Amino acid sequence: RWFTHFYVVSVLWNGFLLIWLFQAEFLGGSLPSWIAYMHHALGRVSQTDCEDFSALLVLLLLWLHSCRRLAECLWTSIFSNGVIHIVQYCFGLAYYIGVGSTVVCQVPTNVRNGKELSMQICWYHIVGVMMYVWASLHQHKCLVILADLRKSKSGKVVSLSHSVPSGDWFERVSCPHYFAELLIYVSMAVTLGFHNVTWWCVVMYVLFNQALAAVLCHEFYQKNFSSYPKNRKAFIPFVF
């Protein structure tokens, strides 16, 4: 349940960055000086209007993702009494601050110099957003399924123990909500136009992080439920 803190930080920080970037893109404002230092360290060069708009769109998607996850933590998920390690907790807070800053760092510091942004919508923006919506809907549905396992038919919480979930993507993998998380980050890479190496590094981190969590959960199910479906993979349907 302490993951809720991550999403509070993400909503506030990435919302702040989103407003900052929007002002820079549309109102001729300027980005903070620390972004300039980051650009210098990364060797950033000027981008096209389409790439600037991509970064703004991805930051919006990231913020919306954080808002949804915060709402799910508050009103959907039924948490057990499990605890989180202090190192993992601190790293999680830093991650959600860093991931939004990574998006902002893809935009030149003199982003528009007061000129109007050309909102050129490219085909990969449409594909990325559609993939984002599709993965987000499935992730929410899977989280609802997990929460319902601990409720009675009337909606009252009756247990905090673990049960075997079924339905939707659970028929193929043990942790479809983790797989959906990966797809959400891949959709943002698509929205950035496929070629953004920095964001693909973020995707690789999410891949290994979510895969590890999925394997641990999969092993837990297999150990504690003798009748657990053998056809289910841990993380990626039919693959892993």
Side-chain angles (χ1 to χ4, degrees), residues 95 178-179 181-183 185-186 200-215 235-236 240:
Y95 169 79
Y178 295 155
F179 178 54
E181 184 82 1
L182 173 63
L183 292 180
Y185 278 84
V186 171
W200 280 112
C201 290
V202 175
V203 171
M204 291 302 296
Y205 163 76
V206 173
L207 169 62
F208 289 113
N209 177 270
Q210 299 297 293
L212 174 60
V215 167
F235 183 43
I236 301 176
F240 174 71

Side-chain angles (χ1 to χ4, degrees), residues 2-236:
W2 279 39
F3 271 55
T4 305
H5 300 177
F6 299 161
Y7 300 119
V8 169
V9 169
S10 182
V11 168
L12 294 176
W13 173 247
N14 292 320
F16 177 65
L17 292 178
L18 183 61
I19 293 173
W20 222 341
L21 185 55
F22 180 86
Q23 290 177 335
E25 294 279 13
F26 291 99
L27 304 179
S30 58
L31 293 173
S33 58
W34 62 268
I35 296 292
Y37 293 122
M38 188 65 71
H39 278 100
H40 179 72
L42 296 175
R44 296 294 300 159
V45 296
S46 298
Q47 299 179 200
T48 66
D49 286 354
C50 193
E51 290 173 309
D52 290 345
F53 179 66
S54 298
L56 181 64
L57 184 57
V58 167
L59 190 58
L60 174 62
L61 296 180
L62 183 63
W63 181 75
L64 291 174
H65 176 62
S66 300
C67 289
R68 179 180 61 81
R69 291 294 293 118
L70 175 59
E72 289 166 342
C73 285
L74 294 174
W75 296 300
T76 301
S77 298
I78 308 298
F79 298 104
S80 65
N81 295 319
V83 296
I84 185 174
H85 195 282
I86 184 63
V87 174
Q88 184 183 9
Y89 178 75
C90 294
F91 181 82
L93 292 176
Y95 169 79
Y96 281 98
I97 292 175
V99 71
S101 305
T102 299
V103 178
V104 176
C105 286
Q106 306 309 301
V107 181
T109 50
N110 58 341
V111 56
R112 296 268 39 93
N113 286 326
K115 298 179 181 179
E116 182 180 356
L117 174 67
S118 174
M119 291 182 58
Q120 181 180 354
I121 299 178
C122 303
W123 65 269
Y124 50 80
H125 294 152
I126 298 174
V127 173
V129 171
M130 289 177 62
M131 183 178 179
Y132 170 88
V133 173
W134 175 66
S136 297
L137 289 174
H138 276 285
Q139 186 178 57
H140 176 73
K141 187 174 182 179
C142 291
L143 291 172
V144 170
I145 290 174
L146 287 174
D148 287 344
L149 292 175
R150 295 177 172 177
K151 297 179 182 178
S152 64
K153 292 183 178 179
S154 62
K156 182 180 178 181
V157 177
V158 294
S159 173
L160 295 181
S161 62
H162 295 280
S163 303
V164 177
S166 60
D168 201 61
W169 288 357
F170 279 109
E171 299 303 321
R172 295 298 179 186
V173 289
S174 296
C175 300
H177 47 306
Y178 295 155
F179 178 54
E181 184 82 1
L182 173 63
L183 292 180
I184 288 170
Y185 278 84
V186 171
S187 74
M188 296 181 192
V190 173
T191 305
L192 283 170
F194 292 96
H195 59 272
N196 192 294
V197 177
T198 304
W199 192 258
W200 280 112
C201 290
V202 175
V203 171
M204 291 302 296
Y205 163 76
V206 173
L207 169 62
F208 289 113
N209 177 270
Q210 299 297 293
L212 174 60
V215 167
L216 294 175
C217 288
H218 186 66
E219 291 177 348
F220 173 86
Y221 282 129
Q222 291 179 322
K223 180 180 179 181
N224 290 276
F225 301 97
S226 58
S227 60
Y228 191 73
K230 298 185 181 300
N231 64 316
R232 292 188 189 182
K233 298 295 184 179
F235 183 43
I236 301 176

